[in-house]
Amino acid sequence: MSGESGADGDGAAGADPNARPLRVAVTGTPGTGKSTATALLEDEYDVIHLNDLIKGDDALWTERDVDRDTLVADLDAVRERLDDWSGVLDSHLAHRFAVDRVVVLRCHPETIEARLRERGEAEATAEENSEPGEPSRALARKAHENAEPDEPSRALARKAHENAEPGEPPRALARKAHENAESEALDVILSEAVAEHGVENVYEIDTTDRDPAAVADEIRAAIRGEREPSAGTVDFIDYISRAREDRDGK
């Protein structure tokens, strides 16, 4: 889902880092394991799975992107619906809301792409739409589409998927999974979270080789203030480099 407005300006910048946060966003590119990990925290915290909330209420989204089978979320309506919430907010949109801390789950783009293809994403989701007029994933896509000859190109990726063998995932699904993988390699959600909440309130967690219980433990540590804020410690640019090498080798 995408939204139609940015995060409130009343986030947690300047908050006491030792205070127990009332509102924690768990965000990240689709396929990083947010919902699975946060489900393990439900006995300790009030966990709101925002994508499910939006999909279940027509008043919380404005339109459906037919090409990608996604919903465009109305973030103002979502804020009104959440009202004076507290706990853990799970969604790739969670960092767009006023929160005390932001946990950004990261995962290697190749793993994300494989997970999203396996998932199938048959129902309408919010997995990669960008905000109208916002400098987010739409710009990342545009940057690739306008890439120089030596850069990985959306057109090349699209062509490869369109020439896929019978039995492979449908082109729209493959393209969507690839776009999310590139978004992860470009640190799009991490950059948005840092820009909107400040690096001092962001906790980056690499989930690539961790099981859900271990990821939940890391989220719990961030909530309790048992680990230091971190951003920029995870680097997946190798995905872009390999895409370039694969293209050049053809």
Side-chain angles (χ1 to χ4, degrees), residues 4 14 23 58 66 78 80 88 90 94 109 119 125 142 147 150-151 160 170-173 198 211 214 233 250:
E4 295 182 338
R23 298 181 177 185
D58 291 351
V66 177
V78 173
E80 184 175 349
V88 175
D90 152 43
R119 181 184 297 176
T125 66
K142 185 176 181 181
D150 64 340
E151 293 293 324
R171 285 186 300 236
L173 172 60
D211 62 30
T233 60
K250 292 181 179 179

Side-chain angles (χ1 to χ4, degrees), residues 13-68:
D16 180 2
N18 297 316
R20 184 179 181 87
L22 296 176
R23 298 181 177 185
V24 176
V26 177
T27 187
T29 304
T32 52
K34 299 180 297 297
S35 296
T36 304
T38 55
L40 299 178
L41 301 174
E42 290 176 350
D43 289 340
E44 305 165 63
Y45 306 101
D46 291 329
V47 177
I48 302 171
H49 299 290
L50 186 58
N51 287 7
D52 292 341
L53 182 67
I54 293 172
K55 286 186 287 183
D57 189 340
D58 291 351
L60 300 181
W61 55 275
T62 59
E63 61 182 289
R64 184 186 301 273
D65 183 332
V66 177
D67 290 340
R68 291 183 173 84

Side-chain angles (χ1 to χ4, degrees), residues 65-247:
D65 183 332
V66 177
D67 290 340
R68 291 183 173 84
D69 194 22
T70 60
L71 302 177
V72 179
D74 183 342
L75 295 190
D76 289 332
V78 173
R79 288 189 183 94
E80 184 175 349
R81 171 68 180 275
L82 291 175
D83 195 21
D84 189 24
W85 70 279
S86 63
V88 175
L89 188 64
D90 152 43
S91 172
H92 68 290
L93 295 173
H95 62 286
R96 303 301 304 275
F97 297 85
V99 296
D100 298 290
R101 294 180 183 173
V102 182
V103 177
V104 182
L105 300 191
R106 307 298 307 277
C107 187
H108 196 280
E110 289 179 353
T111 302
I112 286 178
E113 190 165 6
R115 286 177 179 174
L116 294 181
R117 290 192 187 201
E118 291 173 2
R119 181 184 297 176
E121 298 180 333
E123 71 276 15
T125 66
E127 306 265 290
E128 61 79 42
N129 272 355
S130 56
E131 306 298 326
E134 290 291 329
S136 58
R137 275 161 286 196
L139 292 184
R141 286 199 299 273
K142 185 176 181 181
H144 283 291
E145 290 170 346
N146 295 330
E148 295 299 323
D150 64 340
E151 293 293 324
S153 164
R154 174 77 62 223
L156 290 176
R158 187 160 53 239
K159 182 177 180 181
H161 288 306
E162 290 174 348
N163 292 331
E165 295 297 324
E168 288 193 297
R171 285 186 300 236
L173 172 60
R175 184 167 61 247
K176 187 174 179 181
H178 186 70
E179 288 175 352
N180 276 293
E182 286 191 340
S183 175
E184 178 69 358
L186 292 169
D187 300 337
V188 171
I189 287 185
L190 176 68
S191 298
E192 290 178 353
V194 170
E196 296 191 24
H197 297 280
V199 67
E200 69 275 11
N201 295 307
V202 174
Y203 298 77
E204 187 178 30
I205 299 172
D206 187 353
T207 70
T208 306
D209 297 316
R210 290 182 169 134
D211 62 30
V215 176
D217 286 342
E218 292 290 335
I219 297 172
R220 188 180 295 108
I223 294 173
R224 294 175 176 174
E226 297 172 353
R227 59 171 291 170
E228 294 296 317
S230 60
T233 60
V234 179
D235 183 1
F236 293 136
I237 199 63
D238 62 315
Y239 176 83
I240 300 297
S241 301
R242 279 202 290 270
R244 180 189 306 166
E245 292 171 359
D246 290 344
R247 187 208 64 193

